[in-house]
Amino acid sequence: MESLFLLVLGNTEISTVPGISVAGATPELTRLTPVADAEYLFHEKPLTIDVIPVTPEGHPTPAIITKAAKELANFPVLVVRGGTYLAPFIPHIHISNAVGRDFRKEPALPEFGEIIRRAKLLGEELNKMPIKELVIGESTPGGTTTAQAVLWALGYEAKTSSASPNNPQSLKEKVISEAFKRAGIEKGQLRDNPLEALRQFGDSMLATVIGVSLGFRKNVVLAGGTQMLAVSALLGALGESLDRFMIATTKWVVNDKSATFLETAREIGIVSYAADLDFSKSEFKGLRDYERGYVKEGVGAGGATWLAVKAGFSPEEVSKKVEELYGRLMEMKST
Amino acid sequence: MESLFLLVLGNTEISTVPGISVAGATPELTRLTPVADAEYLFHEKPLTIDVIPVTPEGHPTPAIITKAAKELANFPVLVVRGGTYLAPFIPHIHISNAVGRDFRKEPALPEFGEIIRRAKLLGEELNKMPIKELVIGESTPGGTTTAQAVLWALGYEAKTSSASPNNPQSLKEKVISEAFKRAGIEKGQLRDNPLEALRQFGDSMLATVIGVSLGFRKNVVLAGGTQMLAVSALLGALGESLDRFMIATTKWVVNDKSATFLETAREIGIVSYAADLDFSKSEFKGLRDYERGYVKEGVGAGGATWLAVKAGFSPEEVSKKVEELYGRLMEMKST
């Protein structure tokens, strides 16, 4: 296969603000979601924790979609530690261990320059390989809030999606307002200074994806929802043509009426693909609830499905494989 | 290019035994040689230390050859941290931070299983990419001693090379005898138990290269001197056919009369290539001394030259580029 899937892991302290993130069963476990997601792609279950990440209500991580697509299409996956609390117990490319700080109190990512430099070096080496396309997914609890802050700083009236059907928009807007006040800026004020937006409000995942995308000069599929809009907006503001980029996400993100995915994508000028997965007939409530707006996207689920479709599998086959994987997890649990 | 160069970094406590390793100006600096070598490939000079690694007598690291070949042929390079004291300040694939213990006192690498498992996962992912050939180099101070111990445990009467013209063979043999006594084994006794030889006497570089080579199923060029003989012997003893493997090293290793490179390679059944570099006419004493048996090999110098030759450059052109890089370093030093 001439595509390579990168999974970039990031953490931000913003995920610990109560109500911001449901990417883990508890706030403590949420911090471990990126490494557990990555480990699950390579093993029957994560290694750092004994179960796959779930929302507080028990909905399974979208890593299950990525794993399903990977097992079907057999595309290569490399995990990249953009900046996390812990290192995953699997081989991974180390960029940094910088966790995004609470942007209400201080600049989120003073390390942005070093992270971009290193990630760009990685992108340059990958660019020399006979790889035609990078598909870059992410796992970053709290990342839709940092993404929204960056988009606002760049002048987009974006609302980002959430892993909950009750998108905590008013909470997101409150913490972002506090951050803007702390930094002394207004919406759109960093339109011409994207790196300052990244430093003030971003996270290590965003910086890593930017760096890799600048170093790798061929096609890049940004595999994610509204967080990849922030990446696109940053790249555009840095003067990078978006012609070789597209976003691959899921229909659940595109259909999310509490967010502005398609509208913001149009404003930024980036094309997008939405994986038509359907879990409505699943045997498992945890999966059926995806159709009610739970989880939606993450771990590059939409981009992994894109790769499976390119390899000749249908979204139905991916959905079926997800069902099978979830069944396997349930069996392990009951034994 | 359809070849990928991996540089695997390892440390072993054995390098701190006085007289064993000259892969650094002092014992303290020797511990940092792997990360400094790796950083130098991507920057004008290392980041962890301010100068390139040199022997106590000032001979430059063979990383200068690898860097020369890389700059000429532009092949992709990924650095792999098999197990080192520090992480390099560049993007690298993390396998472990396990440093090989002093095998006179205890088993060298209790972590061998986990390292092989992770490295094999990496090899499997690389195997899915459109890469036809891996070229695997290493930087592991003290590694010729662990390699010789492993070869002896597997029953080869090998003498490994050294970065000094005065190969400390009697000292190597003394520490290996102590280790064999501690472990209660004799030469050849682990012939049928290669993993125990690795656990008792090996290092994290050896384990990592074994793992990657088991996961990647296409051609592998083991880029190194006598340490890669130990890798080959371990792979053979594990039942792996050596048909898809070759060793690429330098003429300085092959011509080393204090070691048994070609003889041991023949016993193991692995083919080899020797890069015909010639520094005899260099302006710099540090390089001319390579012709007198200093340094000889390391950082995949021979394999990097192999890649440059495959890309259409002559060994003379590589030598000339080395001269240019060394000149640049001298200029930096004098300013």
Side-chain angles (χ1 to χ4, degrees), chain B residues 95-124:
Chain B
I95 296 293
S96 94
N97 55 10
V99 167
R101 255 65 97 242
D102 184 343
F103 58 29
R104 296 171 303 177
K105 299 175 189 158
E106 59 188 315
L109 202 64
E111 304 87 350
F112 75 97
E114 182 62 18
I115 293 175
I116 290 178
R117 255 192 304 279
R118 289 192 195 176
K120 191 177 172 199
L121 272 181
L122 170 62
E124 286 168 357

PDB file of all heavy atoms in Angstrom, chain B residues 95-124:
ATOM      1  N   ILE B  95      11.772   2.214  21.241  1.00  0.00           N
ATOM      2  CA  ILE B  95      11.520   0.805  21.559  1.00  0.00           C
ATOM      3  C   ILE B  95      11.676   0.594  23.060  1.00  0.00           C
ATOM      4  O   ILE B  95      10.794   0.054  23.709  1.00  0.00           O
ATOM      5  CB  ILE B  95      12.469  -0.135  20.773  1.00  0.00           C
ATOM      6  CG1 ILE B  95      12.212  -0.014  19.263  1.00  0.00           C
ATOM      7  CG2 ILE B  95      12.307  -1.591  21.234  1.00  0.00           C
ATOM      8  CD1 ILE B  95      10.858  -0.520  18.790  1.00  0.00           C
ATOM      9  N   SER B  96      12.780   1.046  23.624  1.00  0.00           N
ATOM     10  CA  SER B  96      12.951   0.914  25.072  1.00  0.00           C
ATOM     11  C   SER B  96      14.044   1.852  25.563  1.00  0.00           C
ATOM     12  O   SER B  96      14.767   2.460  24.768  1.00  0.00           O
ATOM     13  CB  SER B  96      13.309  -0.530  25.458  1.00  0.00           C
ATOM     14  OG  SER B  96      14.716  -0.699  25.558  1.00  0.00           O
ATOM     15  N   ASN B  97      14.132   1.983  26.874  1.00  0.00           N
ATOM     16  CA  ASN B  97      15.266   2.697  27.467  1.00  0.00           C
ATOM     17  C   ASN B  97      16.122   1.728  28.298  1.00  0.00           C
ATOM     18  O   ASN B  97      16.863   2.145  29.179  1.00  0.00           O
ATOM     19  CB  ASN B  97      14.789   3.888  28.311  1.00  0.00           C
ATOM     20  CG  ASN B  97      13.800   3.466  29.376  1.00  0.00           C
ATOM     21  OD1 ASN B  97      13.611   2.270  29.610  1.00  0.00           O
ATOM     22  ND2 ASN B  97      13.169   4.417  30.022  1.00  0.00           N
ATOM     23  N   ALA B  98      16.027   0.453  27.959  1.00  0.00           N
ATOM     24  CA  ALA B  98      16.791  -0.557  28.700  1.00  0.00           C
ATOM     25  C   ALA B  98      18.241  -0.558  28.238  1.00  0.00           C
ATOM     26  O   ALA B  98      18.536  -0.793  27.069  1.00  0.00           O
ATOM     27  CB  ALA B  98      16.175  -1.941  28.483  1.00  0.00           C
ATOM     28  N   VAL B  99      19.145  -0.306  29.163  1.00  0.00           N
ATOM     29  CA  VAL B  99      20.581  -0.337  28.875  1.00  0.00           C
ATOM     30  C   VAL B  99      21.107  -1.713  29.273  1.00  0.00           C
ATOM     31  O   VAL B  99      20.754  -2.226  30.343  1.00  0.00           O
ATOM     32  CB  VAL B  99      21.283   0.782  29.669  1.00  0.00           C
ATOM     33  CG1 VAL B  99      22.789   0.605  29.668  1.00  0.00           C
ATOM     34  CG2 VAL B  99      20.884   2.142  29.103  1.00  0.00           C
ATOM     35  N   GLY B 100      21.905  -2.330  28.443  1.00  0.00           N
ATOM     36  CA  GLY B 100      22.480  -3.636  28.767  1.00  0.00           C
ATOM     37  C   GLY B 100      23.299  -3.565  30.041  1.00  0.00           C
ATOM     38  O   GLY B 100      24.108  -2.657  30.215  1.00  0.00           O
ATOM     39  N   ARG B 101      23.052  -4.497  30.960  1.00  0.00           N
ATOM     40  CA  ARG B 101      23.779  -4.518  32.221  1.00  0.00           C
ATOM     41  C   ARG B 101      25.172  -5.140  32.077  1.00  0.00           C
ATOM     42  O   ARG B 101      25.467  -5.786  31.078  1.00  0.00           O
ATOM     43  CB  ARG B 101      22.965  -5.298  33.263  1.00  0.00           C
ATOM     44  CG  ARG B 101      22.298  -4.421  34.287  1.00  0.00           C
ATOM     45  CD  ARG B 101      21.221  -3.499  33.725  1.00  0.00           C
ATOM     46  NE  ARG B 101      19.891  -4.065  33.896  1.00  0.00           N
ATOM     47  CZ  ARG B 101      19.098  -4.372  32.873  1.00  0.00           C
ATOM     48  NH1 ARG B 101      19.484  -4.207  31.628  1.00  0.00           N
ATOM     49  NH2 ARG B 101      17.891  -4.827  33.106  1.00  0.00           N
ATOM     50  N   ASP B 102      25.984  -4.941  33.077  1.00  0.00           N
ATOM     51  CA  ASP B 102      27.328  -5.522  33.116  1.00  0.00           C
ATOM     52  C   ASP B 102      27.201  -7.035  33.254  1.00  0.00           C
ATOM     53  O   ASP B 102      26.877  -7.549  34.325  1.00  0.00           O
ATOM     54  CB  ASP B 102      28.085  -4.925  34.305  1.00  0.00           C
ATOM     55  CG  ASP B 102      29.536  -5.402  34.362  1.00  0.00           C
ATOM     56  OD1 ASP B 102      29.876  -6.425  33.710  1.00  0.00           O
ATOM     57  OD2 ASP B 102      30.328  -4.754  35.063  1.00  0.00           O
ATOM     58  N   PHE B 103      27.483  -7.753  32.171  1.00  0.00           N
ATOM     59  CA  PHE B 103      27.221  -9.202  32.137  1.00  0.00           C
ATOM     60  C   PHE B 103      28.160 -10.005  33.035  1.00  0.00           C
ATOM     61  O   PHE B 103      27.974 -11.202  33.200  1.00  0.00           O
ATOM     62  CB  PHE B 103      27.197  -9.734  30.708  1.00  0.00           C
ATOM     63  CG  PHE B 103      28.437  -9.520  29.878  1.00  0.00           C
ATOM     64  CD1 PHE B 103      29.703  -9.430  30.424  1.00  0.00           C
ATOM     65  CD2 PHE B 103      28.316  -9.440  28.481  1.00  0.00           C
ATOM     66  CE1 PHE B 103      30.823  -9.262  29.641  1.00  0.00           C
ATOM     67  CE2 PHE B 103      29.440  -9.265  27.686  1.00  0.00           C
ATOM     68  CZ  PHE B 103      30.697  -9.177  28.268  1.00  0.00           C
ATOM     69  N   ARG B 104      29.164  -9.350  33.605  1.00  0.00           N
ATOM     70  CA  ARG B 104      30.008 -10.061  34.579  1.00  0.00           C
ATOM     71  C   ARG B 104      29.257 -10.270  35.884  1.00  0.00           C
ATOM     72  O   ARG B 104      29.577 -11.157  36.671  1.00  0.00           O
ATOM     73  CB  ARG B 104      31.287  -9.268  34.863  1.00  0.00           C
ATOM     74  CG  ARG B 104      32.194  -9.108  33.649  1.00  0.00           C
ATOM     75  CD  ARG B 104      33.317  -8.149  33.952  1.00  0.00           C
ATOM     76  NE  ARG B 104      32.810  -6.851  34.381  1.00  0.00           N
ATOM     77  CZ  ARG B 104      33.581  -5.836  34.774  1.00  0.00           C
ATOM     78  NH1 ARG B 104      34.886  -5.975  34.783  1.00  0.00           N
ATOM     79  NH2 ARG B 104      33.047  -4.681  35.138  1.00  0.00           N
ATOM     80  N   LYS B 105      28.271  -9.405  36.119  1.00  0.00           N
ATOM     81  CA  LYS B 105      27.599  -9.402  37.417  1.00  0.00           C
ATOM     82  C   LYS B 105      26.186  -9.962  37.389  1.00  0.00           C
ATOM     83  O   LYS B 105      25.661 -10.439  38.385  1.00  0.00           O
ATOM     84  CB  LYS B 105      27.544  -7.970  37.964  1.00  0.00           C
ATOM     85  CG  LYS B 105      28.927  -7.366  38.167  1.00  0.00           C
ATOM     86  CD  LYS B 105      28.839  -5.914  38.585  1.00  0.00           C
ATOM     87  CE  LYS B 105      30.216  -5.259  38.575  1.00  0.00           C
ATOM     88  NZ  LYS B 105      30.136  -3.799  38.467  1.00  0.00           N
ATOM     89  N   GLU B 106      25.535  -9.854  36.220  1.00  0.00           N
ATOM     90  CA  GLU B 106      24.117 -10.256  36.137  1.00  0.00           C
ATOM     91  C   GLU B 106      23.751 -10.441  34.677  1.00  0.00           C
ATOM     92  O   GLU B 106      24.479 -10.002  33.782  1.00  0.00           O
ATOM     93  CB  GLU B 106      23.232  -9.164  36.765  1.00  0.00           C
ATOM     94  CG  GLU B 106      23.405  -7.816  36.084  1.00  0.00           C
ATOM     95  CD  GLU B 106      22.693  -6.676  36.800  1.00  0.00           C
ATOM     96  OE1 GLU B 106      21.532  -6.872  37.189  1.00  0.00           O
ATOM     97  OE2 GLU B 106      23.298  -5.595  36.939  1.00  0.00           O
ATOM     98  N   PRO B 107      22.613 -11.070  34.409  1.00  0.00           N
ATOM     99  CA  PRO B 107      22.181 -11.193  33.014  1.00  0.00           C
ATOM    100  C   PRO B 107      22.063  -9.804  32.384  1.00  0.00           C
ATOM    101  O   PRO B 107      21.556  -8.871  33.012  1.00  0.00           O
ATOM    102  CB  PRO B 107      20.824 -11.884  33.125  1.00  0.00           C
ATOM    103  CG  PRO B 107      20.896 -12.642  34.412  1.00  0.00           C
ATOM    104  CD  PRO B 107      21.702 -11.770  35.334  1.00  0.00           C
ATOM    105  N   ALA B 108      22.523  -9.693  31.168  1.00  0.00           N
ATOM    106  CA  ALA B 108      22.659  -8.384  30.540  1.00  0.00           C
ATOM    107  C   ALA B 108      21.314  -7.764  30.162  1.00  0.00           C
ATOM    108  O   ALA B 108      21.141  -6.550  30.225  1.00  0.00           O
ATOM    109  CB  ALA B 108      23.527  -8.497  29.289  1.00  0.00           C
ATOM    110  N   LEU B 109      20.356  -8.592  29.752  1.00  0.00           N
ATOM    111  CA  LEU B 109      19.159  -7.997  29.136  1.00  0.00           C
ATOM    112  C   LEU B 109      17.890  -8.776  29.485  1.00  0.00           C
ATOM    113  O   LEU B 109      17.309  -9.448  28.624  1.00  0.00           O
ATOM    114  CB  LEU B 109      19.354  -7.950  27.613  1.00  0.00           C
ATOM    115  CG  LEU B 109      18.509  -6.946  26.845  1.00  0.00           C
ATOM    116  CD1 LEU B 109      18.852  -5.518  27.247  1.00  0.00           C
ATOM    117  CD2 LEU B 109      18.663  -7.134  25.350  1.00  0.00           C
ATOM    118  N   PRO B 110      17.429  -8.650  30.743  1.00  0.00           N
ATOM    119  CA  PRO B 110      16.182  -9.336  31.100  1.00  0.00           C
ATOM    120  C   PRO B 110      15.005  -8.876  30.233  1.00  0.00           C
ATOM    121  O   PRO B 110      14.024  -9.599  30.075  1.00  0.00           O
ATOM    122  CB  PRO B 110      15.954  -8.947  32.569  1.00  0.00           C
ATOM    123  CG  PRO B 110      17.095  -8.109  32.990  1.00  0.00           C
ATOM    124  CD  PRO B 110      18.028  -7.919  31.860  1.00  0.00           C
ATOM    125  N   GLU B 111      15.124  -7.698  29.641  1.00  0.00           N
ATOM    126  CA  GLU B 111      14.029  -7.126  28.850  1.00  0.00           C
ATOM    127  C   GLU B 111      14.022  -7.619  27.403  1.00  0.00           C
ATOM    128  O   GLU B 111      13.277  -7.079  26.566  1.00  0.00           O
ATOM    129  CB  GLU B 111      14.150  -5.599  28.817  1.00  0.00           C
ATOM    130  CG  GLU B 111      14.200  -4.916  30.166  1.00  0.00           C
ATOM    131  CD  GLU B 111      15.599  -4.823  30.750  1.00  0.00           C
ATOM    132  OE1 GLU B 111      16.526  -5.461  30.179  1.00  0.00           O
ATOM    133  OE2 GLU B 111      15.775  -4.129  31.760  1.00  0.00           O
ATOM    134  N   PHE B 112      14.844  -8.601  27.069  1.00  0.00           N
ATOM    135  CA  PHE B 112      15.010  -8.964  25.653  1.00  0.00           C
ATOM    136  C   PHE B 112      13.676  -9.314  24.980  1.00  0.00           C
ATOM    137  O   PHE B 112      13.460  -8.986  23.819  1.00  0.00           O
ATOM    138  CB  PHE B 112      15.992 -10.143  25.515  1.00  0.00           C
ATOM    139  CG  PHE B 112      15.402 -11.465  25.910  1.00  0.00           C
ATOM    140  CD1 PHE B 112      14.886 -12.327  24.960  1.00  0.00           C
ATOM    141  CD2 PHE B 112      15.315 -11.833  27.243  1.00  0.00           C
ATOM    142  CE1 PHE B 112      14.313 -13.541  25.321  1.00  0.00           C
ATOM    143  CE2 PHE B 112      14.746 -13.040  27.624  1.00  0.00           C
ATOM    144  CZ  PHE B 112      14.240 -13.894  26.660  1.00  0.00           C
ATOM    145  N   GLY B 113      12.785  -9.980  25.726  1.00  0.00           N
ATOM    146  CA  GLY B 113      11.526 -10.435  25.123  1.00  0.00           C
ATOM    147  C   GLY B 113      10.651  -9.269  24.706  1.00  0.00           C
ATOM    148  O   GLY B 113      10.135  -9.226  23.580  1.00  0.00           O
ATOM    149  N   GLU B 114      10.506  -8.317  25.606  1.00  0.00           N
ATOM    150  CA  GLU B 114       9.676  -7.154  25.322  1.00  0.00           C
ATOM    151  C   GLU B 114      10.282  -6.321  24.182  1.00  0.00           C
ATOM    152  O   GLU B 114       9.566  -5.816  23.317  1.00  0.00           O
ATOM    153  CB  GLU B 114       9.519  -6.307  26.595  1.00  0.00           C
ATOM    154  CG  GLU B 114       8.632  -5.085  26.467  1.00  0.00           C
ATOM    155  CD  GLU B 114       7.188  -5.410  26.113  1.00  0.00           C
ATOM    156  OE1 GLU B 114       6.761  -6.571  26.288  1.00  0.00           O
ATOM    157  OE2 GLU B 114       6.494  -4.487  25.640  1.00  0.00           O
ATOM    158  N   ILE B 115      11.590  -6.193  24.185  1.00  0.00           N
ATOM    159  CA  ILE B 115      12.251  -5.419  23.117  1.00  0.00           C
ATOM    160  C   ILE B 115      12.032  -6.103  21.764  1.00  0.00           C
ATOM    161  O   ILE B 115      11.672  -5.449  20.778  1.00  0.00           O
ATOM    162  CB  ILE B 115      13.756  -5.251  23.414  1.00  0.00           C
ATOM    163  CG1 ILE B 115      13.946  -4.363  24.656  1.00  0.00           C
ATOM    164  CG2 ILE B 115      14.487  -4.657  22.211  1.00  0.00           C
ATOM    165  CD1 ILE B 115      15.392  -4.227  25.106  1.00  0.00           C
ATOM    166  N   ILE B 116      12.210  -7.398  21.720  1.00  0.00           N
ATOM    167  CA  ILE B 116      12.008  -8.111  20.448  1.00  0.00           C
ATOM    168  C   ILE B 116      10.554  -7.988  19.997  1.00  0.00           C
ATOM    169  O   ILE B 116      10.270  -7.725  18.828  1.00  0.00           O
ATOM    170  CB  ILE B 116      12.406  -9.605  20.576  1.00  0.00           C
ATOM    171  CG1 ILE B 116      13.923  -9.723  20.725  1.00  0.00           C
ATOM    172  CG2 ILE B 116      11.924 -10.407  19.370  1.00  0.00           C
ATOM    173  CD1 ILE B 116      14.424 -11.148  20.901  1.00  0.00           C
ATOM    174  N   ARG B 117       9.632  -8.142  20.922  1.00  0.00           N
ATOM    175  CA  ARG B 117       8.208  -8.055  20.565  1.00  0.00           C
ATOM    176  C   ARG B 117       7.889  -6.695  19.950  1.00  0.00           C
ATOM    177  O   ARG B 117       7.220  -6.602  18.922  1.00  0.00           O
ATOM    178  CB  ARG B 117       7.333  -8.254  21.809  1.00  0.00           C
ATOM    179  CG  ARG B 117       6.663  -9.612  21.888  1.00  0.00           C
ATOM    180  CD  ARG B 117       5.576  -9.659  22.972  1.00  0.00           C
ATOM    181  NE  ARG B 117       6.062  -9.291  24.289  1.00  0.00           N
ATOM    182  CZ  ARG B 117       6.715 -10.121  25.119  1.00  0.00           C
ATOM    183  NH1 ARG B 117       6.952 -11.365  24.762  1.00  0.00           N
ATOM    184  NH2 ARG B 117       7.105  -9.706  26.303  1.00  0.00           N
ATOM    185  N   ARG B 118       8.334  -5.634  20.622  1.00  0.00           N
ATOM    186  CA  ARG B 118       8.032  -4.293  20.111  1.00  0.00           C
ATOM    187  C   ARG B 118       8.719  -4.044  18.771  1.00  0.00           C
ATOM    188  O   ARG B 118       8.139  -3.493  17.852  1.00  0.00           O
ATOM    189  CB  ARG B 118       8.492  -3.238  21.116  1.00  0.00           C
ATOM    190  CG  ARG B 118       7.661  -3.198  22.365  1.00  0.00           C
ATOM    191  CD  ARG B 118       7.992  -1.946  23.147  1.00  0.00           C
ATOM    192  NE  ARG B 118       7.484  -2.033  24.502  1.00  0.00           N
ATOM    193  CZ  ARG B 118       7.700  -1.121  25.431  1.00  0.00           C
ATOM    194  NH1 ARG B 118       8.410  -0.042  25.136  1.00  0.00           N
ATOM    195  NH2 ARG B 118       7.199  -1.252  26.641  1.00  0.00           N
ATOM    196  N   ALA B 119       9.985  -4.447  18.696  1.00  0.00           N
ATOM    197  CA  ALA B 119      10.728  -4.209  17.452  1.00  0.00           C
ATOM    198  C   ALA B 119      10.121  -5.011  16.307  1.00  0.00           C
ATOM    199  O   ALA B 119      10.091  -4.558  15.161  1.00  0.00           O
ATOM    200  CB  ALA B 119      12.196  -4.562  17.647  1.00  0.00           C
ATOM    201  N   LYS B 120       9.596  -6.183  16.628  1.00  0.00           N
ATOM    202  CA  LYS B 120       8.956  -6.986  15.586  1.00  0.00           C
ATOM    203  C   LYS B 120       7.693  -6.293  15.077  1.00  0.00           C
ATOM    204  O   LYS B 120       7.419  -6.281  13.864  1.00  0.00           O
ATOM    205  CB  LYS B 120       8.637  -8.383  16.136  1.00  0.00           C
ATOM    206  CG  LYS B 120       8.225  -9.364  15.060  1.00  0.00           C
ATOM    207  CD  LYS B 120       7.973 -10.755  15.607  1.00  0.00           C
ATOM    208  CE  LYS B 120       7.379 -11.636  14.509  1.00  0.00           C
ATOM    209  NZ  LYS B 120       6.704 -12.815  15.030  1.00  0.00           N
ATOM    210  N   LEU B 121       6.926  -5.712  15.993  1.00  0.00           N
ATOM    211  CA  LEU B 121       5.749  -4.931  15.579  1.00  0.00           C
ATOM    212  C   LEU B 121       6.165  -3.821  14.613  1.00  0.00           C
ATOM    213  O   LEU B 121       5.512  -3.581  13.599  1.00  0.00           O
ATOM    214  CB  LEU B 121       5.075  -4.282  16.797  1.00  0.00           C
ATOM    215  CG  LEU B 121       4.016  -5.056  17.547  1.00  0.00           C
ATOM    216  CD1 LEU B 121       3.464  -4.201  18.695  1.00  0.00           C
ATOM    217  CD2 LEU B 121       2.866  -5.479  16.635  1.00  0.00           C
ATOM    218  N   LEU B 122       7.244  -3.142  14.942  1.00  0.00           N
ATOM    219  CA  LEU B 122       7.743  -2.098  14.048  1.00  0.00           C
ATOM    220  C   LEU B 122       8.090  -2.686  12.683  1.00  0.00           C
ATOM    221  O   LEU B 122       7.688  -2.157  11.644  1.00  0.00           O
ATOM    222  CB  LEU B 122       8.972  -1.428  14.671  1.00  0.00           C
ATOM    223  CG  LEU B 122       9.750  -0.479  13.754  1.00  0.00           C
ATOM    224  CD1 LEU B 122       8.896   0.700  13.317  1.00  0.00           C
ATOM    225  CD2 LEU B 122      11.028   0.012  14.444  1.00  0.00           C
ATOM    226  N   GLY B 123       8.815  -3.800  12.692  1.00  0.00           N
ATOM    227  CA  GLY B 123       9.190  -4.444  11.426  1.00  0.00           C
ATOM    228  C   GLY B 123       7.973  -4.832  10.606  1.00  0.00           C
ATOM    229  O   GLY B 123       7.969  -4.692   9.376  1.00  0.00           O
ATOM    230  N   GLU B 124       6.931  -5.290  11.282  1.00  0.00           N
ATOM    231  CA  GLU B 124       5.714  -5.693  10.565  1.00  0.00           C
ATOM    232  C   GLU B 124       5.048  -4.502   9.891  1.00  0.00           C
ATOM    233  O   GLU B 124       4.527  -4.618   8.777  1.00  0.00           O
ATOM    234  CB  GLU B 124       4.740  -6.375  11.538  1.00  0.00           C
ATOM    235  CG  GLU B 124       5.179  -7.786  11.920  1.00  0.00           C
ATOM    236  CD  GLU B 124       4.402  -8.369  13.097  1.00  0.00           C
ATOM    237  OE1 GLU B 124       3.544  -7.658  13.673  1.00  0.00           O
ATOM    238  OE2 GLU B 124       4.666  -9.527  13.453  1.00  0.00           O
TER     239      GLU B 124
END
